[in-house]
Amino acid sequence: MLQRRQSVVICWHIYMPAMRMHMYAKGVQLYCAPTADPRDSWVASMRHIACEGRCFVLAANQFARRSDFPADYPLETSDPDEVLCRGASVIVDPLGEILAGPATEGQTVLHAELDLGRITEGKYDFDAVGHYARPDIFSLNVNTAEQHAVTERQA
C-alpha cells in the first residue's frame, strides 16, 4: 500500500514560512490547512503553498451564517441568512492549479482525484528543500524535543 505523508497546519501557522519549510522537509504530500480566514488572499496563499511545497493542499475554510450562532450571541446582525464567514475551501495540485472550489456558497464537501505522481513531476522543476534549497547559504533548525510550559530550576 502506498504511504501518504500528511501534515496539518492550523489557522495563522499556515502563514509561517519556517513552519512550511519544516513540513516540506518532512516530505508532505497532503498539506491540510483548516482556517476561518475569509479574506480574498486565502485562495492565493493556498495556491502559493501548493506550488512552493510541490504538494497537494486541502484547505478547509469555515462557512458560517448568523443562524449558525445562538440567537443571544452578540453579533452586529440579526439577519439569519447573513454570511459571516464565506468559506473558500479549496483543493490545489502541486503546480498551483485549483482542482476543486473555492467553495463560497455554503457548506459543502469538495472532491478531487489526486495523482501523487504530480508531486514528483513538480519537484523535477523546483524542490524547495532539495536541489533548490541552497544549504550553503540557508538552514533551518527545528527543535522537536518535548517542551514544557513550566520548567523549574534551582538557583
Side-chain angles (χ1 to χ4, degrees), residues 28-89:
V28 64
Q29 296 171 306
L30 306 177
Y31 189 110
C32 302
T35 195
D37 186 347
R39 289 177 279 210
D40 290 337
S41 60
W42 171 254
V43 173
S45 294
M46 297 306 97
R47 293 182 76 184
H48 169 82
I49 290 169
C51 197
E52 176 182 69
R54 293 304 199 252
C55 55
F56 287 94
V57 172
L58 312 174
N61 199 327
Q62 175 179 290
F63 181 90
R65 288 190 166 88
R66 172 61 179 104
S67 60
D68 295 324
F69 294 83
D72 61 346
Y73 190 81
L75 291 170
E76 293 181 15
T77 181
S78 60
D79 177 0
D81 294 324
E82 185 167 336
V83 175
L84 303 178
C85 190
R86 68 186 187 98
S89 295

Side-chain angles (χ1 to χ4, degrees), residues 1-140:
M1 175 180 238
L2 181 65
Q3 184 174 358
R4 290 172 201 79
R5 292 186 187 101
Q6 304 167 8
S7 74
V8 177
V9 180
I10 299 172
C11 207
W12 294 116
H13 293 102
I14 295 164
Y15 291 119
M16 299 173 71
M19 173 72 80
R20 293 196 311 268
M21 281 298 282
H22 180 55
M23 295 300 110
Y24 305 154
K26 292 173 81 70
V28 64
Q29 296 171 306
L30 306 177
Y31 189 110
C32 302
T35 195
D37 186 347
R39 289 177 279 210
D40 290 337
S41 60
W42 171 254
V43 173
S45 294
M46 297 306 97
R47 293 182 76 184
H48 169 82
I49 290 169
C51 197
E52 176 182 69
R54 293 304 199 252
C55 55
F56 287 94
V57 172
L58 312 174
N61 199 327
Q62 175 179 290
F63 181 90
R65 288 190 166 88
R66 172 61 179 104
S67 60
D68 295 324
F69 294 83
D72 61 346
Y73 190 81
L75 291 170
E76 293 181 15
T77 181
S78 60
D79 177 0
D81 294 324
E82 185 167 336
V83 175
L84 303 178
C85 190
R86 68 186 187 98
S89 295
V90 66
I91 300 174
V92 186
D93 85 357
L95 294 176
E97 296 301 317
I98 294 175
L99 301 178
T104 59
E105 299 301 316
Q107 295 181 13
T108 190
V109 175
L110 298 179
H111 299 271
E113 190 169 317
L114 308 182
D115 176 1
L116 297 181
R118 299 278 293 155
I119 295 169
T120 304
E121 188 179 312
K123 287 186 178 187
Y124 283 132
D125 173 68
F126 174 79
D127 187 354
V129 294
H131 67 279
Y132 259 86
R134 292 302 308 266
D136 56 320
I137 301 172
F138 304 109
S139 66
L140 172 64

Side-chain angles (χ1 to χ4, degrees), residues 143-148:
N143 182 356
T144 60
E146 182 179 350
Q147 302 295 309
H148 302 278

